[in-house]
Amino acid sequence: MSASESEPALMPTHPSPIQDERALKLLRDGHLEVAGRLIEATNMTLYCSVSLNGSTAACVYKPVRGERPLWDFPDGTLAAREVAAFEVSQATGWQIVPPTVYRDGPFGPGMCQLWIDTEREVDLMRLVRSRNPLVRRMAVFDAVINNADRKGGHLLPLPTGHVYGVDHGVCFAAEDKLRTVLWQWRGKPLAREAVGVLAKLDRELESGALGRRLRELLTLAEVEATWKRVRRLLDTGVHPYPSEDWPAIPWPPV
């Protein structure tokens, strides 16, 4: 029996697309009010409320002007990369990234993402080391978007069992930069489901809406590199191995 065949069946525990659409409209058009700052974050990350037509939700707002310069990513691009990660997430159908938009706010344009209340009883490090098929989806997703910073604390487990992933500002580099705590599937055959999703991404990046949307958020070279990563995964049929030229695990790992 192959590794993919021995995995437990996936349960439909994620939010519905209808809920996501409502959240996106609220995030995009609602009144944004800053309530506080998440001081442990590297870049300016503000905890906010967003309100529209009687509906209110908590959200995270990361203004571009609060981004710290990085040597390996162009200045002022992290917010757009977060939105690009959401677009890829939606195209997979896996809903790994919470609803995320690019909008203006009290400190200028930036990323605005729905706040997620997590299941506090979950042991994050145990989840990181697990064979949970939802976490395995995230490993495939990270390989596609070239996530340079998948820490354990970026996994948000819900009481329903769904697992979100957040903090995708350092993704989509044209050079291979995959750095993650999710290496337990390295070299293992991709699950049948993942192969089908990657084939869909291949088509969408070549001539579909996803390719057009990513070209609005990233450079052409970065979009082309994303497409090449998808095709490489399809060609090899396995989860990638860590690079010998780049640290495999982010620091700190949590």
Side-chain angles (χ1 to χ4, degrees):
M1 181 178 292
S2 70
S4 60
E5 291 173 337
S6 64
E7 292 173 353
L10 290 165
M11 300 298 292
T13 56
H14 53 71
S16 72
I18 294 176
Q19 290 174 320
D20 273 2
E21 285 301 319
R22 291 172 180 167
L24 288 169
K25 181 171 178 57
L26 179 60
L27 292 170
R28 189 181 299 115
D29 301 331
H31 172 70
L32 199 59
E33 185 170 343
V34 176
R37 180 175 180 179
L38 305 182
I39 58 175
E40 69 274 13
T42 303
N43 298 298
M44 181 186 288
T45 304
L46 303 172
Y47 179 77
C48 304
S49 65
V50 60
S51 303
L52 180 69
N53 299 329
S55 296
T56 302
C59 63
V60 172
Y61 163 52
K62 298 182 182 180
V64 171
R65 66 189 293 185
E67 295 177 5
R68 293 177 60 184
L70 298 172
W71 68 268
D72 53 347
F73 285 87
D75 293 350
T77 66
L78 305 191
R81 294 172 193 278
E82 297 249 26
V83 178
F86 171 73
E87 297 290 347
V88 174
S89 169
Q90 291 299 94
T92 65
W94 289 340
Q95 294 179 284
I96 289 172
V97 181
T100 309
V101 302
Y102 192 92
R103 60 161 293 172
D104 201 6
F107 295 96
M111 179 277 275
C112 189
Q113 185 175 82
L114 190 69
W115 176 268
I116 301 298
D117 288 318
T118 62
E119 173 55 71
R120 298 181 182 274
E121 300 303 316
V122 173
D123 183 332
L124 268 184
M125 294 316 296
R126 184 175 181 179
L127 179 63
V128 163
R129 296 191 299 268
S130 74
R131 300 285 174 167
N132 186 316
L134 297 179
V135 177
R136 187 173 188 178
R137 284 178 171 180
M138 195 174 298
V140 175
F141 173 74
D142 286 342
V144 169
I145 68 172
N146 199 16
N147 194 344
D149 192 36
R150 175 61 75 199
K151 295 179 172 131
H154 296 168
L155 275 64
L156 304 183
L158 272 61
T160 61
H162 186 64
V163 182
Y164 276 118
V166 295
D167 284 341
H168 300 107
V170 288
C171 297
F172 296 102
E175 307 83 10
D176 287 337
K177 291 182 180 290
L178 182 60
R179 197 164 55 162
T180 176
V181 294
L182 306 178
W183 287 115
Q184 56 265 52
W185 294 284
R186 62 192 181 279
K188 301 292 185 183
L190 294 165
R192 188 179 299 110
E193 177 208 33
V195 173
V197 167
L198 290 167
K200 177 187 174 187
L201 291 181
D202 182 20
R203 295 189 298 271
E204 280 289 308
L205 287 165
E206 180 179 20
S207 58
L210 179 61
R212 293 191 295 272
R213 178 60 174 142
L214 291 189
R215 285 191 289 274
E216 297 172 357
L217 297 163
L218 307 168
T219 67
L220 181 58
E222 289 166 344
V223 178
E224 290 289 332
T226 302
W227 188 20
K228 288 179 181 178
R229 288 190 296 272
V230 169
R231 291 203 155 182
R232 185 166 64 222
L233 287 166
L234 287 169
D235 288 343
T236 64
V238 300
H239 287 263
Y241 286 95
S243 171
E244 297 180 357
D245 303 320
W246 182 259
I249 299 174
W251 189 260
V254 179

